[in-house]
Amino acid sequence: MAVPVDNYLRNQFMPHMWCPGCGHGIVLGAVLRAIGRLDLPKDEVCIVSGIGCASRAPGYLDFNTVHTTHGRALAFATGIKLARPDLHVIVLTGDGDASAIGGNHLIHAARRNMGITTVMFNNSIYGMTNGQYSPMTPKGRYASTAPYGNVERNFDMCELVKAAGGNYVARATTAHARQLSNYVEHAIQTQGFAFVEAVTQCPTYFGRRNKMGTPVDMIEWFRKNSVNAAAAAKLGPEELDGKIVVGEFYRGDAPEYTQVYEEVIKRAKEAAAR
Amino acid sequence: MSIRVGKTGNEAVAEAMRQINPDVVAAYPITPQTEIVQIFSSFVANGKVDTEFVTVESEHSAMSATVGAASAGARSMTATSANGLAFMWEIVYIAAGMRLPIVMPVVNRALSGPLNIHCDHSDTMGARDSGWIQLFSENAQEAYDNAVQAPRIAENPDVKLPVMVTMDGFIISHAMEVMEILEDEKVREFIGKYVPENPLLDVDNPVTLGPVDLQDWNFEHKRQQAEAMRNAKPVILDVASEYAKLTGRKYGLFEEYKLDDADIAIVVLGSTAGTAKVAVNALRAKGVRAGMLKMRVFRPFPAEEIADALKHVKAVAVMDRSDSFNAVGGPVFVDVRSALYDVDNGPKIVNYIYGIGGRDVTPDHVKTVYADLAKIAETGQVENPLTYLGIRE
């Protein structure tokens, strides 16, 4: 069933600033449809972002929204969640924002198991500043700061968040819009830290420099090069080289931070009353 | 022979960095600085420089890596803007306190919030007490010239302080102009080989840099740092004089434009000086004795020289492209007015805050300032000590 999302947009701020063919609209649509299916009241949702192309998303959304500084979305979101544990706090962030300048906040939000849903728009590049390589640019790929190919390895952010202690970890691409939306829905329903990596195309900087063709070609490339988690489990590292593993990788039930903290407050009050 | 080229401010500064050929550059992209580092990275990739280029994960790391490299004895550079400079803050002070001769182009942009990517001086003005030398530029030519002179100033044994070379975001950084650059050999000869004092990589003579420094000697080290900033003034002039012999382009602590016989004058920094010259020329054509003082060196602050240059003027307007939110006026105004305190029968002095967040300033805006000054000069009365120029509310 189609879920209307117009009600969630601040249409007065259109047109948006994303390039033609950018995948961020597909990711944003997936997030909004997830919120729509869960029928979350707008006032009970708080969307937080940092700096970068992905982080412009909250400006277009009609929820409680906070556009913060580069890399600090999760730090702000942690404060919001502690002050208002009843809110659905959703962080929309990019790969530069979440894995580079804000990487430390990501691992600690996961370690604390803060009840925050994080959707990382991974376009493998710093798009806002014209295409420098990020920690998510695959080895060998080209960027404005790597004209002869990137020599660094990229993170597997899903493995990182799982290892750091998150309760939900999943990945999909813009070729898997429905699946992506379902993962975001599951992430929002998770008690504790939930992380969805949304692999998205940047035709302007990543695609052009890496000769990946049109935006449609890039989405097609995602589809052809994706392997689902069950199939990937049977493949060796060489067979998985250059592939995008998609699926739900982990569901945990570790206690969520603000709930644990409520217990501390309760105990402290009881001690004070004695 | 200099080479005439068309370059944007960012291209010009990247070119200066290529010619300086620093041992280490560590940087992180931020609008409007990005191009400097992006162009420089292509020089690295194409083997045009010998630089170790580190694409760090944040500005805090960029300045940290630059400090580490400089401590090791490397000629080290980085570049940034606005929030990037703010995020470096902790290490910006450490670079100066450790007396490391780092050179950093800063492309001026409004500091958040609200978020804005366009030009004002709030970023570098915030760092005015960080212990860095600050050189402001009117155009791409000056940004290039300041960048080439900066290592010589920074590395002078009497100075040993980091230098910020600023230019106005977009207005200079992204606008192309005809300018002159030097041949590579001339730049390399001019800046010379860097011989660091007590580098960490001199393993035969081990030293410790940046350890805890408490009540015993911290005070002395800070006083010595202040002395170094005083020493910088004659060094900046010496380097400028040598540079003038090489290029024919003369630089001082500031530029006096038709100031000698001026009755009214403005003090300004950055690209607006070019706009103001247009206004001065128009007023001079009508017989108005208007002049201008364009600051190049904001730190060290040339207080005595400014007082001397402005003492005969009847009314002065200081134009600040940032607010200090001290409920008095902008940072340049406060320093200039303080410099004029000991001048007997000195000029009346007023403040204009303008161009915040990239708000355009035109010759007509500057002419209104001169019109206000003419009235003050005539009546001796100041009605508005502080004006927000071109405000829409």
Side-chain angles (χ1 to χ4, degrees):
Chain A
M1 192 188 80
V3 182
V5 297
D6 280 4
N7 184 38
Y8 297 140
L9 294 171
R10 291 173 179 151
N11 283 307
Q12 69 269 36
F13 294 121
M14 296 294 160
H16 57 71
M17 49 74 77
W18 292 323
C19 301
C22 173
H24 286 10
I26 298 175
V27 181
L28 189 60
V31 171
L32 295 183
R33 280 189 287 276
I35 293 171
R37 286 194 300 277
L38 293 167
D39 201 20
L40 305 180
K42 287 204 268 189
D43 289 345
E44 291 176 18
V45 175
C46 183
I47 311 255
V48 187
S49 73
I51 293 288
C53 293
S55 294
R56 280 297 292 262
Y60 307 123
L61 301 182
D62 193 22
F63 301 99
N64 303 290
T65 59
V66 193
H67 189 183
T68 74
T69 56
H70 198 15
R72 311 301 143 199
L74 275 162
F76 282 86
T78 297
I80 291 164
K81 186 68 184 177
L82 279 166
R84 289 284 304 274
D86 57 308
L87 290 181
H88 294 282
V89 180
I90 299 172
V91 166
L92 303 182
T93 179
D95 50 305
D97 207 45
S99 73
I101 199 165
N104 214 20
H105 296 305
L106 178 68
I107 59 175
H108 290 287
R111 177 183 63 80
R112 292 193 183 105
N113 210 18
M114 293 300 307
I116 296 169
T117 299
T118 297
V119 179
M120 185 185 81
F121 295 52
N122 172 19
N123 60 4
S124 309
I125 205 86
Y126 283 98
M128 181 72 87
T129 49
N130 301 9
Q132 296 75 22
Y133 68 83
S134 86
M136 294 306 289
T137 306
K139 192 174 175 181
R141 292 294 197 166
Y142 297 92
S144 65
T145 41
Y148 297 110
N150 176 25
V151 297
E152 299 179 14
R153 295 175 298 173
N154 59 300
F155 274 124
D156 183 331
M157 293 303 280
C158 289
E159 285 292 326
L160 183 75
V161 172
K162 182 182 157 193
N167 259 3
Y168 180 84
V169 179
R171 181 190 290 121
T173 79
T174 48
H176 309 85
R178 280 167 187 262
Q179 208 170 321
L180 179 63
S181 188
N182 288 337
Y183 295 169
V184 174
E185 184 181 337
H186 299 161
I188 294 169
Q189 289 172 308
T190 299
Q191 296 289 312
F193 191 75
F195 179 80
V196 178
E197 177 180 339
V199 179
T200 163
Q201 73 275 10
C202 173
T204 305
Y205 292 111
F206 189 77
R208 196 177 329 182
R209 213 170 260 276
N210 287 283
K211 300 195 179 358
M212 295 180 79
T214 66
V216 175
D217 294 334
M218 291 181 79
I219 297 173
E220 188 63 14
W221 189 91
F222 289 157
R223 193 182 64 78
K224 283 184 182 157
N225 285 279
S226 294
V227 181
N228 75 45
K234 294 171 192 154
L235 299 174
E238 278 172 21
E239 290 163 305
L240 283 173
D241 189 35
K243 301 287 182 196
I244 304 166
V245 183
V246 297
E248 294 180 296
F249 304 118
Y250 183 71
R251 281 172 187 256
D253 57 2
E256 191 272 330
Y257 187 93
T258 58
Q259 290 170 8
V260 175
Y261 205 77
E262 274 301 315
E263 289 300 314
V264 174
I265 293 168
K266 204 172 134 196
R267 285 209 305 279
K269 279 183 176 167
E270 281 167 8
R274 275 203 292 274
Chain B
M1 267 301 287
S2 293
I3 307 157
R4 276 171 82 77
V5 290
K7 284 201 184 295
T8 66
N10 277 345
E11 289 169 355
V13 166
E15 186 70 2
M17 286 176 72
R18 183 186 65 73
Q19 296 180 315
I20 291 166
N21 193 15
D23 301 309
V24 175
V25 168
Y28 190 80
I30 183 166
T31 306
Q33 154 267 30
T34 304
E35 280 180 323
I36 295 178
V37 181
Q38 189 166 307
I39 296 164
F40 190 78
S41 74
S42 71
F43 296 148
V44 175
N46 293 329
K48 305 273 187 202
V49 286
D50 307 311
T51 307
E52 287 289 335
F53 177 57
V54 196
T55 54
V56 287
E57 72 287 345
S58 77
E59 286 90 357
H60 191 275
S61 305
M63 185 48 76
S64 298
T66 309
V67 161
S71 305
R75 191 175 251 159
S76 309
M77 294 183 76
T78 181
T80 195
S81 292
N83 286 47
L85 177 61
F87 191 27
M88 286 178 178
W89 210 255
E90 180 187 20
I91 322 299
V92 166
Y93 275 71
I94 288 171
M98 286 175 67
R99 309 288 301 278
L100 297 170
I102 294 163
V103 174
M104 172 165 69
V106 179
V107 186
N108 288 121
R109 158 184 155 178
L111 198 52
S112 294
L115 178 57
N116 182 295
I117 58 168
H118 291 282
C119 175
D120 68 35
H121 295 160
S122 53
D123 49 3
T124 41
M125 282 298 158
R128 68 190 185 274
D129 294 339
S130 64
W132 285 58
I133 291 167
Q134 293 185 323
L135 306 179
F136 279 77
S137 319
E138 179 186 327
N139 47 39
Q141 180 73 65
E142 291 193 6
Y144 171 84
D145 291 338
N146 282 334
V148 173
Q149 292 174 68
R152 281 286 302 278
I153 299 163
E155 293 163 10
N156 185 291
D158 295 333
V159 179
K160 287 175 67 68
L161 286 175
V163 179
M164 281 179 208
V165 174
T166 81
M167 65 171 138
D168 288 356
F170 294 106
I171 302 164
I172 304 176
S173 67
H174 285 59
M176 186 167 286
E177 62 182 78
V178 176
M179 56 169 293
E180 289 184 2
I181 60 168
L182 288 163
E183 291 87 349
D184 292 0
E185 318 81 68
K186 281 193 181 162
V187 172
R188 287 183 190 169
E189 198 182 323
F190 180 78
I191 62 169
K193 189 174 153 48
Y194 173 45
V195 185
E197 196 183 332
N198 301 322
L200 286 176
L201 285 182
D202 180 5
V203 290
D204 295 329
N205 297 292
V207 290
T208 299
L209 293 180
V212 66
D213 185 20
L214 303 179
Q215 295 94 330
D216 45 1
W217 292 112
N218 187 287
F219 195 3
E220 285 69 26
H221 292 140
K222 284 292 154 188
R223 194 210 57 79
Q224 288 165 14
Q225 190 182 331
E227 183 182 309
M229 190 58 93
R230 286 194 183 84
N231 293 345
K233 210 157 65 175
V235 170
I236 291 167
L237 290 173
D238 287 349
V239 172
S241 142
E242 207 179 309
Y243 193 73
K245 282 179 203 145
L246 194 65
T247 62
R249 291 189 293 279
K250 296 191 176 80
Y251 288 95
L253 300 168
F254 46 80
E255 178 189 341
E256 294 171 63
Y257 190 75
K258 304 191 178 175
L259 193 59
D260 280 355
D261 63 342
D263 290 330
I264 52 177
I266 65 169
V267 176
V268 70
L269 309 85
S271 64
T272 309
T275 313
K277 283 173 185 171
V278 174
V280 169
N281 292 345
L283 291 168
R284 284 273 170 178
K286 288 183 188 169
V288 179
R289 293 206 293 189
M292 183 189 70
L293 187 150
K294 177 187 82 186
M295 296 206 64
R296 172 186 177 230
V297 181
F298 187 64
R299 287 292 181 268
F301 188 75
E304 298 94 26
E305 293 84 351
I306 285 182
D308 194 50
L310 293 176
K311 63 176 189 285
H312 65 283
V313 178
K314 288 178 186 155
V316 170
V318 178
M319 294 187 61
D320 269 288
R321 201 162 191 153
S322 65
D323 200 338
S324 63
F325 304 107
N326 59 5
V328 178
V332 186
F333 172 69
V334 170
D335 280 358
V336 171
R337 191 161 70 161
S338 168
L340 291 169
Y341 183 77
D342 289 329
V343 175
D344 292 331
N345 301 315
K348 293 284 179 193
I349 177 163
V350 289
N351 190 200
Y352 287 78
I353 290 176
Y354 76 100
I356 302 296
R359 173 63 54 81
D360 200 17
V361 60
T362 66
D364 284 343
H365 287 118
V366 181
K367 282 180 198 166
T368 68
V369 175
Y370 281 111
D372 294 349
L373 286 176
K375 201 172 158 198
I376 293 169
E378 191 189 322
T379 62
Q381 299 299 315
V382 171
E383 277 178 34
N384 301 308
L386 169 62
T387 305
Y388 287 85
L389 186 63
I391 198 89
R392 297 203 304 163
E393 59 193 11

